[in-house]
Amino acid sequence: QNHFWIGSQYYINTKWRAIASNLGSNPDFRFSEENEKVANNNSPRHFFFGSDLLGKVSAAGIKNGLDMLFGDAAGSEVYIGGDFKPEEIKPFVEKYLGALPVKSKVARNYVNHKMFMAPGMHEDVFDFDMKNPQTSAAIYYTGPIQNTKDNLIQLRAMSYILEMRYIESLREENGGTYSPSVEGYISFGPNERYNFNVTFQTQYEKSKDLIEKVHKGIESLAANGPTDEELTKTVESFKKNIPENKKRISYFMNLIEEYYSWGKDMSDSDALINKNVTKETVQKIAQLLVNNKNRTEIIMNPKGK
């Protein structure tokens, strides 16, 4: 055991520190780091991999953390998914899970540290020295909302439609960015919040115009709703994805965790899509994001610009 912890300390001091020092000059890493900080409202409880973090790590600390997290199985929930029969896997569950130590009579209480993006309108602009100069931009719309199947499918539909619009306006019309990334989801837990973000990289000279096009895209959808063609494509795509998703074990594992951890059935169906993906519902969710005025822009420019 002593050899293990001495080896762990050597591994931390050599390989991981070398990786961390190289990452410090990587613009993609720096941009991701800033996004993580802002997403968690600069909470001291959030850690990002790097030299500063590794300076606080020790083999003894790792062991203490393992003992704290896995030394007591009280309150643990284990989800098992795959191609098996319950009676075949039962002996393995009894042997490996049944042998876990249970020392406490009650599980630890969940503590809500409210690690989410600050409300209001914010802009975080910074420079970074890079060999291939370009601007990286991330625009976030966030705010409180109930995590229900209805709300989630509407947010997903809005995101799908805006992705089509942004590919056309940001890439094809201007040639400003190769492929904008568009994502929309609702977080689970005590802080249920919608998160819609658009991320792209472009030339510094085009960045302000493209950022403005991101805002205009969602504002136009809030004002006018989707077109018939956009709505039809969205409904067809969502319905096509349902049988494809059910071929993946990850789909069912997520459903199990969502139900037993948060008491929510988030399964998809054609009826759910027909009910919630309409011109009115998509326009309404876009209006919510625009009217709430919770928007954060993170922009990394080449040094000297």
Side-chain angles (χ1 to χ4, degrees):
Q1 186 179 23
N2 289 336
H3 287 135
F4 172 76
W5 293 116
I6 293 172
S8 298
Q9 187 68 60
Y10 175 78
Y11 195 73
I12 294 168
N13 286 332
T14 54
K15 181 174 181 178
W16 286 112
R17 295 192 192 283
I19 293 173
S21 62
N22 291 330
L23 286 174
S25 60
N26 186 311
D28 291 336
F29 176 84
R30 177 67 187 92
F31 187 62
S32 297
E33 181 183 43
E34 191 68 17
N35 276 260
E36 288 287 330
K37 288 180 179 178
V38 174
N40 291 281
N41 200 16
N42 292 303
S43 171
R45 289 185 169 273
H46 177 74
F47 299 98
F48 201 78
F49 178 79
S51 298
D52 291 342
L53 177 61
L54 287 178
K56 303 174 184 177
V57 175
S58 67
I62 293 174
K63 184 178 184 305
N64 289 336
L66 287 170
D67 290 343
M68 180 186 70
L69 292 172
F70 301 106
D72 187 354
S76 298
E77 295 180 353
V78 180
Y79 309 114
I80 303 173
D83 185 9
F84 59 82
K85 295 179 180 179
E87 60 270 18
E88 293 175 347
I89 199 174
K90 183 179 178 181
F92 298 100
V93 173
E94 292 174 340
K95 180 178 180 179
Y96 295 106
L97 297 182
L100 293 176
V102 178
K103 302 175 182 178
S104 306
K105 293 183 178 181
V106 294
R108 292 190 182 94
N109 291 327
Y110 181 90
V111 180
N112 181 9
H113 295 290
K114 299 182 179 180
M115 293 169 61
F116 50 81
M117 200 167 284
M121 307 288 277
H122 304 281
E123 189 179 67
D124 181 0
V125 182
F126 64 99
D127 297 341
F128 192 80
D129 191 15
M130 54 188 83
K131 293 180 180 179
N132 300 308
Q134 63 180 356
T135 290
S136 297
I139 296 95
Y140 294 88
Y141 288 80
T142 67
I145 193 174
Q146 282 191 318
N147 194 332
T148 64
K149 287 198 287 188
D150 292 357
N151 287 335
L152 180 59
I153 198 71
Q154 291 159 16
L155 183 65
R156 284 172 50 200
M158 185 204 75
S159 302
Y160 186 86
I161 291 168
L162 284 172
E163 182 175 32
M164 290 190 288
R165 292 190 179 188
Y166 291 145
I167 287 175
E168 181 178 353
S169 63
L170 273 64
R171 183 177 72 185
E172 296 178 1
E173 289 182 6
N174 292 71
T177 180
Y178 177 69
S179 183
S181 171
V182 181
E183 182 182 27
Y185 65 94
I186 300 177
S187 56
F188 280 99
N191 305 308
E192 294 185 342
R193 301 176 66 82
Y194 64 81
N195 298 270
F196 172 76
N197 62 79
V198 182
T199 308
F200 61 86
Q201 294 177 325
T202 187
Q203 299 173 23
Y204 170 77
E205 292 75 16
K206 295 183 177 182
S207 59
K208 291 184 179 180
D209 180 55
L210 296 186
I211 292 170
E212 185 61 28
K213 285 183 178 295
V214 171
H215 301 324
K216 287 183 177 178
I218 190 170
E219 289 166 2
S220 174
L221 188 63
N224 306 306
T227 66
D228 290 335
E229 182 182 6
E230 289 172 335
L231 192 70
T232 299
K233 286 183 177 180
T234 303
V235 170
E236 290 177 351
S237 176
F238 281 15
K239 288 184 177 181
K240 179 182 177 181
N241 286 339
I242 290 177
E244 293 298 319
N245 288 336
K246 291 183 178 180
K247 296 178 182 178
R248 302 183 179 93
I249 188 63
S250 58
Y251 172 77
F252 292 100
M253 290 299 290
N254 286 335
L255 289 182
I256 291 171
E257 183 176 0
E258 289 158 358
Y259 181 78
Y260 284 102
S261 294
W262 309 110
K264 295 178 182 289
D265 174 11
M266 304 301 286
S267 56
D268 289 334
S269 68
D270 287 359
L272 176 72
I273 294 168
N274 290 335
K275 172 188 174 185
N276 291 288
V277 184
T278 67
K279 285 187 175 182
E280 292 74 22
T281 59
V282 172
Q283 182 177 9
K284 186 176 180 180
I285 198 75
Q287 289 172 343
L288 173 69
L289 270 64
V290 171
N291 294 336
N292 271 0
K293 298 188 183 301
N294 288 330
R295 189 182 77 201
T296 297
E297 297 176 5
I298 304 172
I299 304 163
M300 181 178 72
N301 291 319
K303 203 164 189 175
K305 293 293 186 179

